[in-house]
Amino acid sequence: MNITLDDKIKPAYREVLNRNPGETEFHQAVLEVLESLGPVLVKHPEFADHRIIERICEPERQIIFRVPWMDDQNNVQINRGFRVEFNSALGPYKGGLRFHPSVYLGIIKFLGFEQIFKNALTGLPIGGAKGGSDFDPKGKSDNEIMRFCQSFITELYRHIGEHTDVPAGDIGVGGREIGYMFGQYKRITNRWEAGVLTGKGLDWGGSLVRKEATGYGAAFFVDEMLKVRNNSLEGKKCVVSGSGNVAIYTIEKIHQLGGKVVACSDSGGFVYHEQGIDVELLQQVKEVERRRIKDYAPHYPESKYIAKGNIWEIPCDVAIPCATQNEINGRDATMLIKNGCVAVGEGANMPTTPEGVRVFLDAGIAYGPGKATNAGGVSTSALEMQQNACRDSWDFEYTEQRLQQIMRKIHKLCYETAEQYGSPNNYVRGANIAGFTRVAKAMVAFGLI
Ligand code: GLU
C-alpha cells in the first residue's frame, strides 16, 4: 500500500484492488487521483458522508460484447468490444474508442476513469466514458475495417445516443472509422443524429479543428505553463513521441509557437531531424499513405531513423509524450531532467509511470498531466456537439479561439487549485482536485443514485 495515501482514503483504494483484480492500469489511475484527495475531504467532509470516492471508483455501467466479423479470406474473426460508462454526473457519457490489441477491461477502465476528471476540467457538460476493442487495425484492408466497425456498432448502437453516451476516436480510431460507425448507426436507427458521435467528417456534421484539437491543445497548455514561469516555447528544442493524430498536430502548433520539434516516433523506432520535423511530410507518410515513421527518413538525408531506440535519451528543453500509457518510466524521467528538460506536457493518457511522475514533481519542472494537457480533444468534441445541437458550423479561426480559451481556463483552474490547496506548481494535484470537486458536488446534489 502506498504510504502517500491519506488514512481515510486507504480503505476505498483497498476495495478498488479487491473488486478489480488484475486491472493494473486502472489501479494506477485510481491511486494517482486518490493521492491528491486527502485535503479535499478535510474541506468537504460531506464528500466522505456521501461516500463519493467509493461511488466514483465504480463505473455506472460496463458493457462487454462479442464482435464477430469476416476477414478478406472469408475467415470468421472474433474480437471483444467494450464500453465503460463511468460517470454521468456532469453530462452524457463522453470519451473515445480505442482499437488496439492491448485493449482489455483494465485499459478501458483506466481511460474511462481519467476521462471523468478530464471532462470535468473542461467546464463543459460532459460525463466520462471510454470504449474500444482488442481488434488490431494494423495491416487490415479498408473493407475489413468497415466490416469490423459495422459489427462493433451493431451491438453498441443500443447503448449510445446524443443525450446518453457520445463516443469518439482514440488510438486506432479516426475519421474513417467514425464514418463507418456513423453510417451503420444511421442505418440501424433510421435517425440522422449528428450528436451521437464526434470526430465526424467535415461534410457530415464534423467540426473544424477537432482533428487538430488534442495536439493544438497540448501545445497551448505547455505554452501556458512556460508563461507563468516567464518563459515561452520560442526557440525551445522539443521531443514529441508518437506520430499519430495527437503527435502530428502537437508538432504543427509547437512550430507555430516558435519551438522546434527534432524527433518523433512510432512503435518501431524514432526519427531524429535536427533541422526540425517537416510536418507536411509526416502527414503524408502517416495520415495519407498510412505508412511507418521509418519511411520519413529517406526524404531527408540529414535526418536519421533509429530502430528500437529510446526517444527520451535525446536532450531537449520540452518533452511531449503523445504515444501511449506508461511510455516514460523513472529512468527516462531522470534522464530527461539530467539533460535539462524544463517542461513535460502529456498529450497521451497516463504516459508517465508513477516513478516518472515522482521524478518530475521532485525536480520542480513544469509538468502537465494528461487529464489537463490533452483535454483539448474532448473539449472540441463538446464544441462539435454544440454546433450539432444548433445545426450550425463555425469557422476554423473561431473554433480554434474557443479551444485556446478553454485550455487557458483549464490551466488557470489547475494552477490556482494547486496553490489554494498548498501545493503550488503541482498540476497533478490541481487537476485531480479541481476535476474531482466538480463531479463530487454534482453527485451530492443528485442524492443517492
Ligand atoms: N480520446 C480522446 C481523449 O482521450 C477524445 C475523446 C472525445 O473526444 O470524446 O480525451
Side-chain angles (χ1 to χ4, degrees):
M1 178 70 62
N2 195 311
I3 45 150
T4 55
L5 212 47
D6 191 280
D7 275 345
K8 285 197 290 302
I9 298 176
K10 274 184 186 160
Y13 182 60
R14 210 172 286 129
E15 186 70 8
V16 167
L17 295 181
N18 290 340
R19 289 167 81 92
N20 306 280
E23 298 174 1
T24 51
E25 295 84 0
F26 178 49
H27 303 162
Q28 182 185 336
V30 169
L31 182 60
E32 192 251 7
V33 171
L34 298 196
E35 275 176 346
S36 300
L37 300 184
V40 180
L41 293 189
V42 176
K43 199 164 167 198
H44 293 281
E46 74 277 14
F47 293 166
D49 300 339
H50 290 268
R51 300 196 72 198
I52 297 296
I53 292 182
E54 291 81 350
R55 281 158 62 193
I56 228 168
C57 290
E58 183 68 18
E60 289 175 14
R61 191 177 297 109
Q62 308 186 54
I63 302 144
I64 305 182
F65 51 101
R66 181 172 67 203
V67 189
W69 57 282
M70 190 82 86
D71 69 18
D72 287 346
Q73 287 71 45
N74 288 338
N75 298 313
V76 171
Q77 301 286 346
I78 292 119
N79 284 98
R80 187 171 288 176
F82 301 89
R83 186 72 179 167
V84 174
E85 298 179 334
F86 228 116
N87 194 294
S88 59
L90 296 180
Y93 305 108
K94 184 83 196 84
L97 299 170
R98 175 176 292 193
F99 292 169
H100 192 270
S102 65
V103 163
Y104 76 106
L105 188 58
I107 294 271
I108 300 299
K109 274 162 75 175
F110 115 64
L111 290 164
F113 188 73
E114 289 267 302
Q115 201 83 40
I116 304 172
F117 308 104
K118 182 197 305 193
N119 294 4
L121 286 174
T122 69
L124 299 162
I126 40 181
K130 206 82 184 193
S133 174
D134 56 2
F135 172 73
D136 186 0
K138 218 186 271 170
K140 300 289 188 296
S141 72
D142 200 54
N143 272 324
E144 289 176 324
I145 299 282
M146 181 183 74
R147 288 194 294 271
F148 177 81
C149 289
Q150 290 179 338
S151 181
F152 184 85
I153 216 72
T154 298
E155 169 57 34
L156 192 64
Y157 89 94
R158 71 191 79 246
H159 306 288
I160 60 178
E162 66 173 315
H163 300 295
T164 315
D165 183 355
V166 184
D170 195 81
I171 294 172
V173 177
R176 174 180 59 167
E177 291 74 19
I178 294 292
Y180 292 143
M181 290 192 261
F182 188 76
Q184 183 75 347
Y185 181 86
K186 182 174 79 62
R187 187 181 192 194
I188 297 175
T189 60
N190 196 28
R191 282 166 67 88
W192 208 102
E193 185 188 330
V196 68
L197 289 165
T198 61
K200 297 182 292 297
L202 296 176
D203 297 322
W204 40 277
S207 171
L208 285 162
V209 194
R210 175 61 192 91
K211 188 171 71 165
E212 295 83 355
T214 312
Y216 279 17
F220 287 144
F221 194 90
V222 170
D223 200 40
E224 290 297 310
M225 290 198 297
L226 289 169
K227 268 194 209 142
V228 294
R229 293 170 173 241
N230 295 319
N231 206 336
S232 81
L233 272 168
E234 194 62 49
K236 292 281 181 301
K237 186 172 170 181
C238 308
V239 167
V240 173
S241 65
S243 50
N245 166 271
V246 181
I248 291 172
Y249 294 100
T250 298
I251 299 171
E252 185 169 274
K253 188 50 75 182
I254 285 182
H255 287 173
Q256 288 171 15
L257 295 172
K260 184 170 75 173
V261 178
V262 296
C264 62
S265 62
D266 64 16
S267 56
F270 69 81
V271 67
Y272 181 76
H273 194 176
E274 179 74 45
Q275 286 71 14
I277 295 286
D278 174 346
V279 181
E280 263 175 50
L281 173 61
L282 185 65
Q283 273 172 311
Q284 181 63 28
V285 170
K286 295 291 299 190
E287 273 185 343
V288 181
E289 295 167 18
R290 294 184 189 275
R291 282 160 50 171
R292 309 289 294 164
I293 198 74
K294 73 169 177 348
D295 299 316
Y296 174 101
H299 293 265
Y300 281 100
E302 73 272 23
S303 72
K304 39 176 204 267
Y305 173 70
I306 319 264
K308 301 265 170 275
N310 182 358
I311 196 169
W312 308 121
E313 286 174 7
I314 302 170
C316 62
D317 303 309
V318 175
I320 312 199
C322 296
T324 194
Q325 65 273 355
N326 292 328
E327 54 168 310
I328 298 183
N329 61 27
R331 251 193 70 241
D332 301 327
T334 307
M335 194 138 51
L336 282 165
I337 299 296
K338 208 180 98 213
N339 288 337
C341 179
V342 296
V344 175
E346 296 183 338
N349 291 311
M350 206 170 75
T352 311
T353 65
E355 297 73 35
V357 174
R358 198 41 35 240
V359 171
F360 292 147
L361 292 177
D362 288 349
I365 61 157
Y367 167 59
K371 60 172 80 66
T373 309
N374 73 35
V378 76
S379 299
T380 310
S381 277
L383 300 182
E384 183 173 331
M385 291 162 74
Q386 275 186 41
Q387 293 168 76
N388 294 155
C390 51
R391 299 179 190 274
D392 196 3
S393 61
W394 307 338
D395 66 26
F396 195 96
E397 209 187 336
Y398 175 71
T399 316
E400 189 184 2
Q401 245 172 43
R402 292 283 299 261
L403 166 65
Q404 188 167 16
Q405 278 163 9
I406 293 167
M407 295 314 295
R408 284 201 180 125
K409 265 171 69 182
I410 296 174
H411 175 272
K412 188 162 182 272
L413 177 65
C414 297
Y415 186 82
E416 289 178 354
T417 306
E419 222 163 40
Q420 206 184 318
Y421 277 85
S423 306
N425 292 316
N426 187 331
Y427 291 94
V428 176
R429 282 263 166 92
N432 288 336
I433 294 175
F436 174 82
T437 305
R438 273 200 175 145
V439 181
K441 282 184 177 165
M443 287 175 73
V444 170
F446 295 159
L448 187 54
I449 53 171

